[in-house]
mmCIF file of all heavy atoms in Angstrom:
data_model
loop_
_atom_site.group_PDB
_atom_site.id
_atom_site.type_symbol
_atom_site.label_atom_id
_atom_site.label_comp_id
_atom_site.label_asym_id
_atom_site.label_seq_id
_atom_site.Cartn_x
_atom_site.Cartn_y
_atom_site.Cartn_z
ATOM 1 N N GLY A 1 73.257 28.079 -13.808
ATOM 2 C CA GLY A 1 73.156 26.614 -13.851
ATOM 3 C C GLY A 1 71.936 26.215 -13.122
ATOM 4 O O GLY A 1 71.014 26.909 -12.865
ATOM 5 N N GLU A 2 72.054 25.002 -12.393
ATOM 6 C CA GLU A 2 71.027 24.378 -11.635
ATOM 7 C C GLU A 2 70.896 25.196 -10.457
ATOM 8 O O GLU A 2 71.803 25.369 -9.633
ATOM 9 C CB GLU A 2 71.258 22.948 -11.447
ATOM 10 C CG GLU A 2 70.063 22.264 -10.739
ATOM 11 C CD GLU A 2 68.963 21.960 -11.571
ATOM 12 O OE1 GLU A 2 69.173 22.130 -12.728
ATOM 13 O OE2 GLU A 2 67.997 21.794 -10.933
ATOM 14 N N PRO A 3 69.494 25.650 -10.005
ATOM 15 C CA PRO A 3 69.321 26.331 -8.898
ATOM 16 C C PRO A 3 69.525 25.384 -7.722
ATOM 17 O O PRO A 3 69.091 24.157 -7.826
ATOM 18 C CB PRO A 3 67.902 26.990 -9.008
ATOM 19 C CG PRO A 3 67.267 25.946 -10.005
ATOM 20 C CD PRO A 3 68.363 25.551 -11.000
ATOM 21 N N THR A 4 69.897 25.864 -6.576
ATOM 22 C CA THR A 4 69.995 25.007 -5.356
ATOM 23 C C THR A 4 68.561 25.052 -4.653
ATOM 24 O O THR A 4 67.634 25.768 -4.973
ATOM 25 C CB THR A 4 70.967 25.684 -4.287
ATOM 26 O OG1 THR A 4 70.390 26.924 -4.021
ATOM 27 C CG2 THR A 4 72.371 25.931 -4.951
ATOM 28 N N ALA A 5 68.552 24.046 -3.765
ATOM 29 C CA ALA A 5 67.244 24.065 -2.926
ATOM 30 C C ALA A 5 67.010 25.329 -2.164
ATOM 31 O O ALA A 5 65.884 25.733 -2.008
ATOM 32 C CB ALA A 5 67.404 22.802 -1.952
ATOM 33 N N GLU A 6 68.051 25.983 -1.731
ATOM 34 C CA GLU A 6 67.977 27.230 -1.008
ATOM 35 C C GLU A 6 67.333 28.258 -1.949
ATOM 36 O O GLU A 6 66.500 29.001 -1.508
ATOM 37 C CB GLU A 6 69.366 27.692 -0.462
ATOM 38 C CG GLU A 6 69.207 28.912 0.367
ATOM 39 C CD GLU A 6 70.567 29.345 0.879
ATOM 40 O OE1 GLU A 6 71.640 28.621 0.589
ATOM 41 O OE2 GLU A 6 70.634 30.492 1.532
ATOM 42 N N HIS A 7 67.873 28.327 -3.185
ATOM 43 C CA HIS A 7 67.370 29.255 -4.169
ATOM 44 C C HIS A 7 65.871 29.147 -4.268
ATOM 45 O O HIS A 7 65.043 30.061 -4.224
ATOM 46 C CB HIS A 7 68.030 29.066 -5.536
ATOM 47 C CG HIS A 7 69.460 29.534 -5.553
ATOM 48 N ND1 HIS A 7 70.338 28.842 -6.399
ATOM 49 C CD2 HIS A 7 70.003 30.604 -4.935
ATOM 50 C CE1 HIS A 7 71.481 29.502 -6.239
ATOM 51 N NE2 HIS A 7 71.306 30.463 -5.416
ATOM 52 N N LEU A 8 65.319 27.807 -4.516
ATOM 53 C CA LEU A 8 63.929 27.569 -4.735
ATOM 54 C C LEU A 8 63.102 27.898 -3.536
ATOM 55 O O LEU A 8 62.001 28.430 -3.693
ATOM 56 C CB LEU A 8 63.800 26.054 -5.171
ATOM 57 C CG LEU A 8 64.618 25.688 -6.499
ATOM 58 C CD1 LEU A 8 64.237 24.174 -6.771
ATOM 59 C CD2 LEU A 8 64.197 26.470 -7.671
ATOM 60 N N GLU A 9 63.657 27.681 -2.451
ATOM 61 C CA GLU A 9 62.977 27.937 -1.175
ATOM 62 C C GLU A 9 62.755 29.475 -0.964
ATOM 63 O O GLU A 9 61.714 29.897 -0.565
ATOM 64 C CB GLU A 9 63.593 27.383 0.050
ATOM 65 C CG GLU A 9 62.844 27.523 1.375
ATOM 66 C CD GLU A 9 61.527 26.747 1.374
ATOM 67 O OE1 GLU A 9 61.333 25.865 0.501
ATOM 68 O OE2 GLU A 9 60.674 27.086 2.136
ATOM 69 N N MET A 10 63.856 30.291 -1.313
ATOM 70 C CA MET A 10 63.635 31.540 -1.193
ATOM 71 C C MET A 10 62.629 32.240 -2.197
ATOM 72 O O MET A 10 61.808 33.124 -1.774
ATOM 73 C CB MET A 10 65.082 32.376 -1.456
ATOM 74 C CG MET A 10 66.063 32.071 -0.421
ATOM 75 S SD MET A 10 67.618 32.847 -0.838
ATOM 76 C CE MET A 10 67.248 34.574 -0.757
ATOM 77 N N ILE A 11 62.527 31.564 -3.348
ATOM 78 C CA ILE A 11 61.525 32.098 -4.347
ATOM 79 C C ILE A 11 60.144 31.770 -3.801
ATOM 80 O O ILE A 11 59.214 32.607 -3.908
ATOM 81 C CB ILE A 11 61.867 31.387 -5.827
ATOM 82 C CG1 ILE A 11 63.148 31.877 -6.272
ATOM 83 C CG2 ILE A 11 60.700 31.696 -6.644
ATOM 84 C CD1 ILE A 11 63.527 31.112 -7.597
ATOM 85 N N ARG A 12 59.978 30.533 -3.235
ATOM 86 C CA ARG A 12 58.636 30.185 -2.806
ATOM 87 C C ARG A 12 58.270 31.207 -1.644
ATOM 88 O O ARG A 12 57.053 31.303 -1.419
ATOM 89 C CB ARG A 12 58.650 28.831 -2.317
ATOM 90 C CG ARG A 12 58.874 27.753 -3.604
ATOM 91 C CD ARG A 12 58.520 26.325 -3.079
ATOM 92 N NE ARG A 12 58.725 25.401 -4.205
ATOM 93 C CZ ARG A 12 59.738 24.655 -4.507
ATOM 94 N NH1 ARG A 12 60.884 24.783 -3.814
ATOM 95 N NH2 ARG A 12 59.696 23.943 -5.538
ATOM 96 N N LYS A 13 59.160 31.532 -0.831
ATOM 97 C CA LYS A 13 58.820 32.545 0.276
ATOM 98 C C LYS A 13 58.586 33.856 -0.082
ATOM 99 O O LYS A 13 58.461 34.738 0.671
ATOM 100 C CB LYS A 13 59.941 32.378 1.294
ATOM 101 C CG LYS A 13 59.976 30.973 2.104
ATOM 102 C CD LYS A 13 61.077 31.026 3.076
ATOM 103 C CE LYS A 13 61.048 29.772 4.002
ATOM 104 N NZ LYS A 13 62.156 29.696 4.969
ATOM 105 N N GLY A 14 58.753 34.095 -1.378
ATOM 106 C CA GLY A 14 58.771 35.634 -1.825
ATOM 107 C C GLY A 14 59.871 36.396 -1.478
ATOM 108 O O GLY A 14 59.846 37.601 -1.375
ATOM 109 N N LEU A 15 61.120 35.827 -1.330
ATOM 110 C CA LEU A 15 62.228 36.588 -0.971
ATOM 111 C C LEU A 15 63.190 36.881 -2.100
ATOM 112 O O LEU A 15 64.332 37.252 -1.832
ATOM 113 C CB LEU A 15 63.012 35.733 0.144
ATOM 114 C CG LEU A 15 62.244 35.439 1.476
ATOM 115 C CD1 LEU A 15 62.982 34.603 2.448
ATOM 116 C CD2 LEU A 15 61.589 36.654 1.979
ATOM 117 N N VAL A 16 62.747 36.640 -3.284
ATOM 118 C CA VAL A 16 63.540 36.906 -4.478
ATOM 119 C C VAL A 16 62.717 37.758 -5.432
ATOM 120 O O VAL A 16 61.628 37.321 -6.069
ATOM 121 C CB VAL A 16 64.019 35.694 -5.212
ATOM 122 C CG1 VAL A 16 64.741 36.008 -6.463
ATOM 123 C CG2 VAL A 16 64.891 34.844 -4.303
ATOM 124 N N GLY A 17 63.297 39.038 -5.794
ATOM 125 C CA GLY A 17 62.512 39.790 -6.643
ATOM 126 C C GLY A 17 63.108 39.766 -8.136
ATOM 127 O O GLY A 17 62.337 39.973 -9.131
ATOM 128 N N SER A 18 64.406 39.459 -8.291
ATOM 129 C CA SER A 18 65.102 39.415 -9.555
ATOM 130 C C SER A 18 66.218 38.406 -9.430
ATOM 131 O O SER A 18 66.729 38.051 -8.433
ATOM 132 C CB SER A 18 65.728 40.834 -9.836
ATOM 133 O OG SER A 18 64.690 41.845 -9.791
ATOM 134 N N VAL A 19 66.558 37.924 -10.579
ATOM 135 C CA VAL A 19 67.559 36.927 -10.811
ATOM 136 C C VAL A 19 68.493 37.238 -12.017
ATOM 137 O O VAL A 19 68.088 37.705 -13.072
ATOM 138 C CB VAL A 19 66.997 35.453 -11.163
ATOM 139 C CG1 VAL A 19 67.973 34.484 -11.429
ATOM 140 C CG2 VAL A 19 66.145 35.000 -9.942
ATOM 141 N N ILE A 20 69.765 37.122 -11.676
ATOM 142 C CA ILE A 20 70.864 37.269 -12.648
ATOM 143 C C ILE A 20 71.502 35.963 -13.090
ATOM 144 O O ILE A 20 71.534 35.133 -12.161
ATOM 145 C CB ILE A 20 71.881 38.399 -12.207
ATOM 146 C CG1 ILE A 20 73.003 38.543 -13.201
ATOM 147 C CG2 ILE A 20 72.496 37.905 -10.854
ATOM 148 C CD1 ILE A 20 74.023 39.665 -12.867
ATOM 149 N N LYS A 21 71.935 35.824 -14.240
ATOM 150 C CA LYS A 21 72.667 34.696 -14.636
ATOM 151 C C LYS A 21 71.929 33.469 -15.008
ATOM 152 O O LYS A 21 72.419 32.409 -15.522
ATOM 153 C CB LYS A 21 73.821 34.341 -13.708
ATOM 154 C CG LYS A 21 74.855 35.354 -13.485
ATOM 155 C CD LYS A 21 75.545 35.778 -14.814
ATOM 156 C CE LYS A 21 76.495 36.913 -14.653
ATOM 157 N NZ LYS A 21 76.941 37.476 -15.992
ATOM 158 N N SER A 22 70.555 33.516 -14.841
ATOM 159 C CA SER A 22 69.693 32.363 -15.396
ATOM 160 C C SER A 22 69.288 32.823 -16.767
ATOM 161 O O SER A 22 68.671 33.839 -17.000
ATOM 162 C CB SER A 22 68.515 32.121 -14.344
ATOM 163 O OG SER A 22 67.747 31.091 -14.848
ATOM 164 N N ASN A 23 69.497 31.927 -17.879
ATOM 165 C CA ASN A 23 69.231 32.346 -19.133
ATOM 166 C C ASN A 23 68.514 31.105 -19.764
ATOM 167 O O ASN A 23 68.695 29.881 -19.430
ATOM 168 C CB ASN A 23 70.557 32.480 -19.856
ATOM 169 C CG ASN A 23 71.129 33.781 -19.576
ATOM 170 O OD1 ASN A 23 70.965 34.832 -20.244
ATOM 171 N ND2 ASN A 23 71.892 33.920 -18.453
ATOM 172 N N GLY A 24 67.658 31.428 -20.826
ATOM 173 C CA GLY A 24 67.020 30.490 -21.656
ATOM 174 C C GLY A 24 65.549 30.194 -21.141
ATOM 175 O O GLY A 24 65.287 30.342 -19.973
ATOM 176 N N VAL A 25 64.786 29.910 -22.175
ATOM 177 C CA VAL A 25 63.404 29.753 -21.800
ATOM 178 C C VAL A 25 63.172 28.564 -20.797
ATOM 179 O O VAL A 25 62.277 28.717 -19.956
ATOM 180 C CB VAL A 25 62.624 29.488 -23.225
ATOM 181 C CG1 VAL A 25 61.220 28.916 -22.929
ATOM 182 C CG2 VAL A 25 62.542 30.763 -24.053
ATOM 183 N N LYS A 26 63.885 27.494 -21.109
ATOM 184 C CA LYS A 26 63.595 26.283 -20.142
ATOM 185 C C LYS A 26 63.892 26.626 -18.749
ATOM 186 O O LYS A 26 62.995 26.349 -17.915
ATOM 187 C CB LYS A 26 64.628 25.180 -20.597
ATOM 188 C CG LYS A 26 64.306 23.913 -19.783
ATOM 189 C CD LYS A 26 65.305 22.742 -20.252
ATOM 190 C CE LYS A 26 65.200 21.615 -19.375
ATOM 191 N NZ LYS A 26 66.103 20.490 -19.846
ATOM 192 N N ASP A 27 65.026 27.176 -18.365
ATOM 193 C CA ASP A 27 65.388 27.505 -17.032
ATOM 194 C C ASP A 27 64.441 28.631 -16.348
ATOM 195 O O ASP A 27 64.089 28.470 -15.251
ATOM 196 C CB ASP A 27 66.864 27.813 -16.893
ATOM 197 C CG ASP A 27 67.714 26.637 -17.140
ATOM 198 O OD1 ASP A 27 67.291 25.447 -17.132
ATOM 199 O OD2 ASP A 27 68.865 26.746 -17.350
ATOM 200 N N ASN A 28 64.280 29.623 -17.246
ATOM 201 C CA ASN A 28 63.582 30.761 -16.717
ATOM 202 C C ASN A 28 62.081 30.518 -16.549
ATOM 203 O O ASN A 28 61.431 30.977 -15.674
ATOM 204 C CB ASN A 28 63.870 31.984 -17.459
ATOM 205 C CG ASN A 28 65.241 32.467 -17.208
ATOM 206 O OD1 ASN A 28 66.050 31.930 -16.588
ATOM 207 N ND2 ASN A 28 65.554 33.659 -17.887
ATOM 208 N N SER A 29 61.537 29.711 -17.330
ATOM 209 C CA SER A 29 60.165 29.206 -17.202
ATOM 210 C C SER A 29 59.860 28.445 -15.940
ATOM 211 O O SER A 29 59.002 28.695 -15.213
ATOM 212 C CB SER A 29 59.659 28.382 -18.449
ATOM 213 O OG SER A 29 59.673 29.021 -19.664
ATOM 214 N N ARG A 30 60.788 27.651 -15.655
ATOM 215 C CA ARG A 30 60.722 26.896 -14.448
ATOM 216 C C ARG A 30 60.716 27.767 -13.148
ATOM 217 O O ARG A 30 59.817 27.616 -12.237
ATOM 218 C CB ARG A 30 61.939 25.806 -14.373
ATOM 219 C CG ARG A 30 61.946 24.954 -12.911
ATOM 220 C CD ARG A 30 63.174 24.315 -12.886
ATOM 221 N NE ARG A 30 63.315 23.629 -11.626
ATOM 222 C CZ ARG A 30 64.493 23.086 -11.070
ATOM 223 N NH1 ARG A 30 65.556 23.166 -11.785
ATOM 224 N NH2 ARG A 30 64.441 22.402 -9.876
ATOM 225 N N LEU A 31 61.725 28.569 -13.094
ATOM 226 C CA LEU A 31 61.684 29.575 -12.040
ATOM 227 C C LEU A 31 60.569 30.460 -11.931
ATOM 228 O O LEU A 31 60.038 30.756 -10.841
ATOM 229 C CB LEU A 31 63.046 30.335 -12.068
ATOM 230 C CG LEU A 31 64.246 29.640 -11.946
ATOM 231 C CD1 LEU A 31 65.603 30.524 -12.146
ATOM 232 C CD2 LEU A 31 64.457 28.872 -10.675
ATOM 233 N N GLN A 32 60.118 31.014 -13.091
ATOM 234 C CA GLN A 32 58.954 31.967 -13.213
ATOM 235 C C GLN A 32 57.703 31.196 -12.595
ATOM 236 O O GLN A 32 56.924 31.900 -11.904
ATOM 237 C CB GLN A 32 58.806 32.426 -14.533
ATOM 238 C CG GLN A 32 57.934 33.719 -14.523
ATOM 239 C CD GLN A 32 58.603 34.922 -13.987
ATOM 240 O OE1 GLN A 32 58.723 35.042 -12.682
ATOM 241 N NE2 GLN A 32 58.962 35.968 -14.725
ATOM 242 N N LYS A 33 57.507 30.073 -13.052
ATOM 243 C CA LYS A 33 56.249 29.317 -12.616
ATOM 244 C C LYS A 33 56.293 29.098 -11.056
ATOM 245 O O LYS A 33 55.132 29.286 -10.327
ATOM 246 C CB LYS A 33 56.213 27.927 -13.235
ATOM 247 C CG LYS A 33 55.798 27.885 -14.693
ATOM 248 C CD LYS A 33 55.750 26.660 -15.301
ATOM 249 C CE LYS A 33 55.199 26.717 -16.812
ATOM 250 N NZ LYS A 33 55.151 25.309 -17.462
ATOM 251 N N ILE A 34 57.392 28.835 -10.541
ATOM 252 C CA ILE A 34 57.444 28.792 -9.045
ATOM 253 C C ILE A 34 57.113 30.024 -8.415
ATOM 254 O O ILE A 34 56.362 30.131 -7.440
ATOM 255 C CB ILE A 34 58.921 28.185 -8.604
ATOM 256 C CG1 ILE A 34 59.107 26.778 -9.133
ATOM 257 C CG2 ILE A 34 59.040 28.351 -7.107
ATOM 258 C CD1 ILE A 34 60.618 26.289 -8.860
#
């Protein structure tokens, strides 16, 4: 579902290599761009 602020901050800090349970072009495009 909707990522939390903590999720997004971890991605920005380079602390996430992989994600499970996020599906669909819309949601995954957003996370990948970050």
